[in-house]
Amino acid sequence: MSAEISHSRFAFKDAEERWQSLWETRGCFNASDDRDRPKYYVLEMFPYPSGRIHMGHVRNYTMGDVVARYKRACGFNVLHPMGWDAFGMPAENAAMEKKVHPAEWTYANIDTMRRQLKMMGLSIDWSREIATCDPNYYQHEQQMFLEYLEAGLIERREGWVNWDPVDQTVLANEQVIDGKGWRSGAAVEKRLLSQWYFKITDYAQELLDALEDLDRWPEKVRLMQANWIGRSEGLRISFKIEGQENRLEVYTTRPDTIFGASFCAISPEHPLAAELAARDNELTSFIEMCGQLGTSEAVIEQAEKIGYETGLRVKHPFITGKTMPVYVANFILMEYGTGAIFGCPAHDQRDLDFARKYGIDVLPVVLPDGKHDVSIENEAYVGPGKLTNSEFLNGLSIEDAKAEITRRIEAAGQGLREVNFRLRDWGISRQRYWGCPIPIIHCEDCGIAPVPAADLPVILPEDVNFGAPGNPLERHEDWKTVDCPKCSKPARRETDTFDTFMDSSWYYARFTAPNADTPTNRDAADYWLPVDQYIGGIEHAILHLLYSRFYMRAMTKTGHAGMDEPFTGLFTQGMICHQTYRTQSGEWVEPADVVEGDGDGIFHVETREPLIVGRSEKMSKSKKNVIDPEDIIKSYGADTARWFMLSDSPPDRDLDWTEAGITGAWRFANRLWRIAADAAKNLPEPGATSQNTEVRRAIHRAIAGVTEDLEAFHFNRSVARVHELVNVLSNIDPKTDGETLREGLEAVTLLIGPMMPHLAEELWHTLGHETPVAETDWPTFDKSLLIQDTVKIAVQVQGKMRGTVEIANNAEKPVAEEAALALPTVIASLNGKKIKKIIYVPNRIINVIH
RNA sequence: GCGGACGUGGUGGAAUUGGUAUACACAACAGACUUAAAAUCUGUCGGCCUAUAGGCCAUGCGGGUUCAAGUCCCGCCGUCCGCACCA
C-alpha cells in the first residue's frame, strides 16, 4: 500500500484511540444522578467470561450500543452498564483440566474480554462494572436468600439429580451423553438429594397473567413462557387398588376419556414404585434402568416407551367389575401432576404407543364429528368430537363430557378438580465450588440454621483442591466446620452453592447502585428500574427471563424493589453463523486455513487438500467455524465490524458472517469518509441553507426513516436508508451546491452516530464541529418535506398489474379513474368489456374489474 | 416426543402489515482509469417468450379466502431454538 493511498483512507486505529479517550475524559457515558431527567435503561445480557468475546457478543453489544447512543442523543439520561456472569462450570472444568484456580481463570478472562469490549467503542458506564463472583456482589445474594427463607419463598426438600458414581459428582443434563457421564463414561444414576427450592410455583398464575402486559416483548417469547408455565385444568382421580386399602391418585386433563381407560402407569420415582420394588428385584432393576436416562425431559420423552407390569390392578370407577393393570413406565414424569396417569390409548399418542407394545386394549370413546365409527390403528385421535362407548357421557362434546364426569367424580368423593402447572419449583442448590455459597449451617442437634447476619458474607475459600472427585468445598474441613449458631457445638456449613441463574436474576437491579451496602438502593432502583430495553439471545427466552421476573417479585416482597416486572422491553437477537469446512476425512477446518483454488473448489492453505464446503451453521469452537472479533477489529476497525453487524440481516434473525460482507462494510465506511474529506474544504460554514428541495426531501426522508427504524429495531433498514442517502449525496458537487451537501453530510454523520461512532466523530470534526457527536442532539426532520405533491400508483385490471399513473397526492376517485382508464395497456386489457366496478385505494392502487 | 420460530433472485435481504414483489447491499459481468494489479468510478443484473411495444411465470410445496396474497386460513416438506444442573 503506497503512502498516497493510505492517505485517502479512514485511519480507524488513530480515530478509535482518539475518540475513545475523549469520550472517557469527558465522561460522556456515565449515567447521571439527575433524577429529574427522563431515564432510559438499556441492558444487554451480560456475558459469561469464557475467555474471549465472540461474534455473538459483538452483535449483541452493538445493538445495545446503538439504542443507548440513540436514546442519549434524544435527551434521555441513559444507563448502559456492563458486568460479568462470572460463576459457573467452565471455570471448574478449567481448574481440573488446566490446573488453574477458577478465580484466576475467571478474572484473567474478564480482563481480556473487558479490553476487547472497549475496543468496540461501546458507550458503557464502566464505573458500574460488576462481577457476580465478587463477594461484594454475592454477599447480597446471601442476605436476600435468608430474607426469602424468612418470607416463606424458599423451602428444602428432596430432588432427583444425575449422579456420576465414578467422579462422585452431580452431572448437568448436557454432561449426560447416552446415559453416561461425559468425563468418566460411567453409567449415570438418578439420586435423591436434599436441596433448596425457590417457590416459583406460588407465582405461576401471576407470572402467567402478567405476560399479557409485556407488550414490548416478542410474542413468541410470551407464548413460550406461557407454555412453559403450562396451566392446565384437570381432575385428580383416586382409583381403588384391588385387594388393598391404598388408593392410586392420578391426574388427567382428559377425564372425558375415562371409559376408554385401559391401564394406569406410574413414574419410576413414584413412592408406590419404590414400595413395590422393595420386594421385587426385577422391578428394582427396571427402575434403575429408567434412571440411566437421567433427568432430561427431552431424553426421557424421546426414549422408547417401556413399562413394567406391577401385577397390581385398579378398579374402574364407573364400570362395575372392570379392573386395569398398573405399570411403572419410563415416560411418566414424577414432577408433573401426581406422577401417575390413567392411559386412554385411543386418544393419546404416547398411551397408544405404549398399549401397542404391551398388548393393552385400545377403546375409542371419541367419535370425530360426522363419522359413525372410529377405529384406531397407530395414530391416536386427539381432535374434537362426540363421546361414544361411554354410558352416560355418550353424545356429549368433549367439553361437556369433561364437565359431567368431573361433577360426578367430585360428587362421589372419588376425586377433585385441580389446576395444575407444568412449571416446577426452582431448584437452586448446586454441588459445586465456583458459585455463591449458600449461607446455611447444619447442626446434628439443631438442624438447619441460617448463618447469623453478623457472620455474613460466607466467602468462598481460596485454597481448594480440584485433584480429587467431588465438590472441593465438601472436602475442605476448615471451611466446612463451624460452630452452630444456636447451640455452639461443632456443626458443618452447607457446601452447596447457588445455581448461577440466581446471580443473573437480579444483576440488572444491582447496576442501579453497584456499590450500595445493601442489595439495592431503593432510591436508585426506583428511578432506574425497570430496564426499558433488554437485549439478548433467544436461548434465554424461558429460564433466565422467567427466573428474573420471579426474582423481581421476591425482591419487591422483601422490600428491595418496588415493582414486579424487571424488563418492559425485550429484544431477542439471532445467532451468528458461518460456513463450515471439512477435510475429506471429516475433520473441521478453520476459515483462516481455507483458500480458493484457481478454478472451482476450496483448498486447505497448507496441505492443498481439497475441502468439502458445508452449510452455514452457528459459530462454534467444535466446528471451528469461528471468526475472532479482535482480528476483525484490528484489520477493519470497530466501526466496520459494527456496521456489518447491523447491515443486511434483520437483528432477530441469524446473521451469516461472510468475508464479502465485512469488506463491503469497510468499503462503505471509506467511501463515506472520502466523500466528506474531499468535500470538506469546499463546503460553506455550518448553518448555510440549501435550496435544493429534491435532495432535501431525500435527506429528511432519511432522517425520518432511520429514526423510525431505530425505534423499531430495524437496524438493517436504517443501514439501507443511509446507503440511499449517501448515493444521492455522492452526486452533488461541493463547489456548486455546497449548502445541500453540507446539510446532507451533517445528517448522515449524525444518523450513523449510534452505529459507527468513531467515524461519525471524525466526520463531524471534519465538518467543523467542536462538540462531539456523543454530546449532540439527534437530528430532526421537516415534515413538510416528506409530503409529495404527486404520487405514482399502480393500475390493475382484474388484479393484474397493467401500468402506473402519476396523479395528485390523495386524488379524488374520478380523477384517478380517468387517468387509469386512459392508459393504453388498460384499454387493451379491457378490450371493450363492460366495467363492473373500480376499486381505488388513495395513494396505493386502482383496480379495474370487468 | 413436546413447545416455539423461520423459508423471497447466484447471495444477505426490502416490501408503509392485504395494495407496483425483488428497495439496499454482496457476488458476477462489461466499460473507464492504470504498464499491470488493487483501489475507485460508470453501467447491466429473477426466469422464459418477443425485433420492439409488451406478454407469461416466479416469494419452500399443495390447496383455500379476496377485486387484490410474500403478507390471512388449512395441510405438507425442510431448517433452527428451548425442554428445567450449559450459560
Side-chain angles (χ1 to χ4, degrees):
Chain A
M1 191 189 288
S2 76
E4 203 175 13
I5 287 171
S6 75
H7 222 73
S8 64
R9 288 196 177 197
F10 172 41
F12 60 83
K13 279 199 178 97
D14 166 64
E16 285 171 11
E17 258 170 52
R18 244 180 316 114
W19 295 112
Q20 284 175 19
S21 86
L22 179 124
W23 294 330
E24 199 178 330
T25 314
R26 296 173 72 117
C28 291
F29 310 132
N30 290 344
S32 151
D33 282 328
D34 181 0
R35 302 281 152 85
D36 295 329
R37 285 173 60 200
K39 66 92 183 181
Y40 196 89
Y41 186 177
V42 53
L43 182 68
E44 303 93 283
M45 290 178 184
F46 65 164
Y48 178 78
S50 54
R52 301 174 65 78
I53 63 167
H54 54 67
M55 283 299 173
H57 293 129
V58 176
R59 193 178 195 197
N60 191 198
Y61 299 127
T62 298
M63 292 195 288
D65 201 46
V66 169
V67 175
R69 286 177 183 268
Y70 167 70
K71 289 292 177 180
R72 204 173 282 115
C74 290
F76 288 94
N77 184 18
V78 170
L79 175 56
H80 184 215
M82 181 58 71
W84 310 97
D85 190 11
F87 275 138
M89 278 207 316
E92 288 193 45
N93 292 333
M96 279 179 256
E97 284 155 21
K98 297 178 187 146
K99 311 272 182 263
V100 51
H101 193 279
E104 196 188 316
W105 184 84
T106 302
Y107 279 107
N109 289 347
I110 287 175
D111 287 343
T112 304
M113 291 172 71
R114 185 193 303 108
R115 179 182 60 76
Q116 292 184 307
L117 288 180
K118 286 193 171 181
M119 290 174 75
M120 287 179 62
L122 303 172
S123 66
I124 283 169
D125 181 352
W126 285 101
S127 71
R128 292 171 185 259
E129 180 181 346
I130 54 179
T132 57
C133 64
D134 182 344
N136 287 327
Y137 181 82
Y138 71 68
Q139 62 173 333
H140 302 292
E141 229 164 282
Q142 296 178 342
Q143 183 197 324
M144 285 190 286
F145 170 80
L146 295 177
E147 291 174 34
Y148 298 151
L149 190 60
E150 186 75 17
L153 288 163
I154 304 261
E155 70 181 25
R156 189 168 177 80
R157 70 175 116 95
E158 296 199 305
W160 292 95
V161 295
N162 302 311
W163 180 256
D164 185 320
V166 171
D167 279 350
Q168 298 283 299
T169 184
V170 175
L171 297 175
N173 283 333
E174 64 159 16
Q175 297 175 323
V176 179
I177 296 153
D178 293 333
K180 308 271 198 306
W182 67 327
R183 229 190 284 269
S184 69
V188 168
E189 298 167 7
K190 256 187 181 177
R191 260 207 190 183
L192 212 45
L193 287 187
S194 270
Q195 317 217 52
W196 293 104
Y197 283 87
F198 221 149
K199 289 163 72 179
I200 191 172
T201 52
D202 285 357
Y203 286 75
Q205 189 67 52
E206 195 189 320
L207 288 166
L208 180 65
D209 292 342
L211 283 173
E212 213 170 300
D213 299 324
L214 293 173
D215 52 2
R216 288 180 49 237
W217 279 40
E219 187 56 39
K220 62 175 172 180
V221 174
R222 293 195 280 169
L223 235 168
M224 279 192 257
Q225 290 217 349
N227 288 333
W228 184 261
I229 294 168
R231 184 193 149 97
S232 69
E233 291 174 13
L235 189 60
R236 177 193 281 260
I237 308 177
S238 168
F239 284 97
K240 178 92 188 66
I241 301 175
E242 203 178 31
Q244 284 196 24
E245 283 309 302
N246 289 340
R247 300 180 75 91
L248 179 65
E249 302 256 310
V250 306
Y251 177 76
T252 180
T253 57
R254 291 295 304 270
D256 54 299
T257 63
I258 186 79
F259 286 96
S262 53
F263 70 98
C264 281
I266 63 174
S267 162
E269 285 101 47
H270 196 282
L272 180 60
E275 197 183 301
L276 293 167
R279 45 178 197 277
D280 182 344
N281 289 335
E282 214 179 317
L283 179 54
T284 306
S285 18
F286 177 80
I287 292 171
E288 269 172 24
M289 186 168 72
C290 293
Q292 283 179 19
L293 282 178
T295 58
S296 160
E297 245 182 57
V299 170
I300 290 169
E301 291 195 19
Q302 271 170 86
E304 192 191 357
K305 287 159 194 60
I306 52 171
Y308 179 88
E309 194 168 358
T310 60
L312 292 185
R313 295 190 79 84
V314 295
K315 290 186 173 168
H316 193 283
F318 295 103
I319 306 174
T320 314
K322 172 167 178 163
T323 63
M324 300 179 282
V326 178
Y327 286 79
V328 176
N330 65 347
F331 63 100
I332 308 298
L333 303 171
M334 192 59 218
E335 289 88 355
Y336 187 69
T338 60
I341 60 138
F342 76 71
C344 175
H347 305 292
D348 182 289
Q349 193 59 44
R350 287 186 302 182
D351 294 351
L352 183 63
D353 294 344
F354 191 77
R356 289 292 183 227
K357 184 170 173 113
Y358 293 100
I360 299 167
D361 292 346
V362 177
L363 315 162
V365 289
V366 178
L367 204 54
D369 292 324
K371 296 225 170 138
H372 297 290
D373 64 299
V374 56
S375 74
I376 303 289
E377 294 303 325
N378 289 313
E379 205 167 318
Y381 179 72
V382 294
K386 295 270 188 291
L387 272 287
T388 184
N389 300 327
S390 297
E391 300 189 6
F392 51 84
L393 297 178
N394 283 343
L396 296 181
S397 71
I398 290 173
E399 280 317 301
D400 292 346
K402 276 183 184 176
E404 176 62 15
I405 196 78
T406 301
R407 193 186 62 73
R408 288 202 186 218
I409 286 193
E410 282 191 328
Q414 288 177 310
L416 279 173
R417 75 187 66 204
E418 192 172 278
V419 171
N420 229 306
F421 293 94
R422 210 184 72 91
L423 181 67
R424 307 202 295 257
D425 275 333
W426 174 15
I428 52 176
S429 299
R430 295 291 181 273
Q431 295 68 38
R432 304 190 200 289
Y433 166 75
W434 194 233
C436 171
I438 301 180
I440 289 290
I441 292 165
H442 298 265
C443 173
E444 287 206 359
D445 296 340
C446 311
I448 288 166
V451 171
D455 296 342
L456 287 178
V458 178
I459 309 269
L460 277 178
E462 285 177 23
D463 54 329
V464 283
N465 156 26
F466 282 92
N471 180 357
L473 291 178
E474 192 69 40
R475 300 190 297 268
H476 197 297
E477 290 302 326
D478 278 358
W479 184 81
K480 200 167 108 173
T481 311
V482 65
D483 290 343
C484 170
K486 287 182 185 160
C487 69
S488 300
K489 274 195 257 174
R492 62 169 190 85
R493 280 190 194 287
E494 167 114 18
T495 56
D496 286 356
T497 52
F498 283 138
D499 174 12
T500 56
F501 274 127
M502 287 283 273
D503 314 329
S504 56
S505 289
W506 72 288
Y507 76 108
Y508 52 86
R510 185 67 186 167
F511 276 135
T512 64
N515 301 310
D517 51 13
T518 46
T520 58
N521 167 325
R522 272 302 295 276
D523 187 40
D526 289 350
Y527 172 68
W528 286 113
L529 291 173
V531 173
D532 297 283
Q533 185 63 60
Y534 196 37
I535 308 170
I538 185 70
E539 67 273 20
H540 294 289
I542 296 174
L543 291 179
H544 163 61
L545 290 168
L546 192 61
Y547 290 151
S548 296
R549 295 180 59 217
F550 165 64
Y551 204 102
M552 183 101 236
R553 286 166 167 81
M555 285 178 85
T556 294
K557 187 172 181 184
T558 48
H560 296 297
M563 62 192 70
D564 289 341
E565 291 295 338
F567 316 117
T568 44
L570 173 70
F571 188 87
T572 54
Q573 92 212 34
M575 296 176 307
I576 312 282
C577 300
H578 193 282
Q579 263 192 338
T580 48
Y581 308 99
R582 305 182 89 151
T583 61
Q584 304 296 324
S585 54
E587 288 153 52
W588 301 102
V589 177
E590 289 176 29
D593 292 338
V594 172
V595 285
E596 275 184 52
D598 296 335
D600 294 340
I602 299 277
F603 301 88
H604 193 284
V605 72
E606 277 163 24
T607 65
R608 310 306 297 180
E609 181 188 357
L611 299 174
I612 300 159
V613 180
R615 61 192 185 84
S616 188
E617 293 190 64
K618 179 184 178 174
M619 279 192 186
S620 75
K621 280 182 192 159
S622 63
K623 289 179 184 139
K624 292 196 176 173
N625 60 339
V626 288
I627 303 288
D628 188 336
E630 192 170 337
D631 292 348
I632 296 299
I633 292 171
K634 281 183 174 157
S635 327
Y636 298 98
D639 286 335
T640 298
R642 294 168 60 121
W643 188 250
F644 175 54
M645 283 296 161
L646 300 167
S647 309
D648 293 354
S649 290
D652 55 345
R653 258 198 253 173
D654 290 352
L655 178 146
D656 221 6
W657 180 275
T658 59
E659 186 67 21
I662 188 75
T663 54
W666 164 235
R667 278 203 299 268
F668 176 74
N670 260 305
R671 179 166 167 237
L672 180 52
W673 181 84
R674 209 177 312 109
I675 291 170
D678 289 352
K681 53 188 175 294
N682 294 312
L683 291 179
E685 290 300 300
T689 356
S690 158
Q691 303 299 321
N692 188 336
T693 311
E694 199 190 332
V695 173
R696 293 194 71 222
R697 279 187 198 282
I699 295 168
H700 286 253
R701 217 168 31 234
I703 298 172
V706 171
T707 305
E708 186 188 312
D709 290 337
L710 292 188
E711 290 279 355
F713 263 77
H714 292 151
F715 304 126
N716 54 326
R717 295 206 305 205
S718 305
V719 167
R721 289 182 199 276
V722 170
H723 279 142
E724 275 173 342
L725 180 54
V726 171
N727 287 344
V728 171
L729 298 180
S730 68
N731 293 320
I732 300 177
D733 183 347
K735 287 177 188 139
T736 57
D737 197 0
E739 291 81 7
T740 308
L741 187 54
R742 168 169 283 282
E743 185 178 351
L745 285 174
E746 292 197 344
V748 166
T749 301
L750 295 176
L751 292 179
I752 63 164
M755 302 185 263
M756 293 198 280
H758 311 91
L759 177 59
E761 295 288 8
E762 199 71 7
L763 297 182
W764 198 236
H765 183 75
T766 304
L767 292 168
H769 294 274
E770 292 302 325
T771 313
V773 174
E775 294 173 15
T776 301
D777 287 344
W778 189 248
T780 51
F781 55 89
D782 182 347
K783 267 188 190 153
S784 66
L785 286 169
L786 303 184
I787 300 161
Q788 299 280 2
D789 300 335
T790 61
V791 289
K792 203 166 79 174
I793 71 165
V795 180
Q796 298 181 337
V797 177
Q798 298 293 88
K800 274 190 185 290
M801 256 297 277
R802 285 295 177 255
T804 58
V805 285
E806 185 147 354
I807 52 174
N809 195 346
N810 275 320
E812 294 294 323
K813 192 174 179 187
V815 179
E817 280 180 10
E818 194 185 334
L821 294 175
L823 273 185
T825 48
V826 172
I827 294 164
S829 301
L830 283 172
N831 196 18
K833 291 194 190 81
K834 201 178 160 214
I835 295 167
K836 272 193 201 140
K837 64 173 169 174
I838 298 178
I839 290 153
Y840 173 55
V841 182
N843 297 348
R844 290 285 140 78
I845 204 160
I846 183 156
N847 190 4
V848 183
I849 310 301
H850 59 73

